[in-house]
Amino acid sequence: MNQLPPNAMLVRWFNALGIPHDYGQRRQLSLCEESKTLVPIGHDVFERPQSMAPVAASAWQMMQTSAEQDGVVLQVVSAFRSIEYQALLIQKKLDKGQLIEEILKVSAAPGFSEHHTGQALDLTTPDCPPLEQGFAETDAYRWLKSNALEFGFVESFGKNNPHGLIWEPWHWCYRPFLISA
Ligand SMILES: [Zn+2]
């Protein structure tokens, strides 16, 4: 999450995807460093293996267990994503004919996604379509709103957030420093 020096790979991706170079500044988003260490956290709802940074992974496992004890099932949709993966995700949407301005309302630019840090999670719960705002109507979301902070997780992109991203009730990031601050 620290500021990184401008990075040649990132500039190349930005140029290739048509993302303005002042994106971070304009969106009040910081560069997110890729986690150097990752540990497996099992499979997501699409049966893909997922991983997180070690401390965040432990916090996630504790949170998931605690939710389960309260009768709430939390499932992973996506955890760590590399800068390259994020870029390819956006490329895929461009290939489908979406405009970059529209894409950047739902996806952070490569280099600016909290998923790079290995501390962010997209969550869902059974009978809820992944990555839809309907998640906010579920018991799982209500449980997270009451309990996630205890485990160091915060909802990064609330309603009308200053980052130009839609409300993402499914996206939670491990940021324990917010508790001690
Ligand atoms: Zn996310």
Side-chain angles (χ1 to χ4, degrees):
M1 308 273 263
N2 300 323
Q3 293 288 338
L4 299 174
N7 170 315
M9 183 185 70
L10 221 50
V11 170
R12 271 209 293 273
W13 277 121
F14 268 46
N15 289 342
L17 300 169
I19 300 170
H21 287 192
D22 62 354
Y23 167 87
Q25 217 174 355
R26 278 209 325 226
R27 297 293 198 93
Q28 301 179 44
L29 288 168
S30 303
L31 277 165
C32 293
E33 227 173 319
E34 275 183 13
S35 179
K36 287 177 185 69
T37 27
L38 291 166
V39 293
I41 57 157
H43 289 71
D44 64 26
V45 287
F46 304 111
E47 297 301 323
R48 303 172 300 190
Q50 291 290 346
S51 57
M52 290 183 86
V55 183
S58 307
W60 155 241
Q61 263 136 18
M62 279 192 275
M63 182 164 80
Q64 190 183 30
T65 304
S66 175
E68 210 173 275
Q69 284 161 356
D70 291 339
V72 169
V73 178
L74 296 177
Q75 299 168 305
V76 174
V77 180
S78 182
F80 170 77
R81 297 203 291 260
S82 69
I83 291 172
E84 190 186 15
Y85 186 98
Q86 189 75 9
L88 295 174
L89 201 78
I90 292 175
Q91 183 62 60
K92 248 190 246 175
K93 293 182 179 184
L94 285 170
D95 293 345
K96 282 188 196 153
Q98 294 185 37
L99 299 173
I100 191 67
E101 296 76 24
E102 296 303 312
I103 297 168
L104 292 176
K105 287 178 192 165
V106 293
S107 304
F112 290 85
S113 169
E114 290 180 340
H115 288 276
H116 302 330
T117 67
Q119 302 190 335
L121 279 173
D122 293 335
L123 296 173
T124 191
T125 195
D127 303 320
C128 177
L131 310 181
E132 287 191 16
Q133 286 176 346
F135 181 65
E137 307 300 323
T138 64
D139 286 344
Y141 179 73
R142 282 184 282 273
W143 188 93
L144 286 164
K145 287 296 267 187
S146 312
N147 299 286
L149 192 60
E150 197 183 310
F151 298 91
F153 284 89
V154 294
E155 185 184 356
S156 303
F157 306 113
K159 281 181 192 166
N160 306 315
N161 64 73
H163 310 295
L165 284 159
I166 58 160
W167 180 30
E168 295 192 5
W170 58 83
H171 178 106
W172 293 79
C173 192
Y174 181 68
R175 277 192 261 154
F177 57 85
L178 286 182
I179 292 172
S180 53

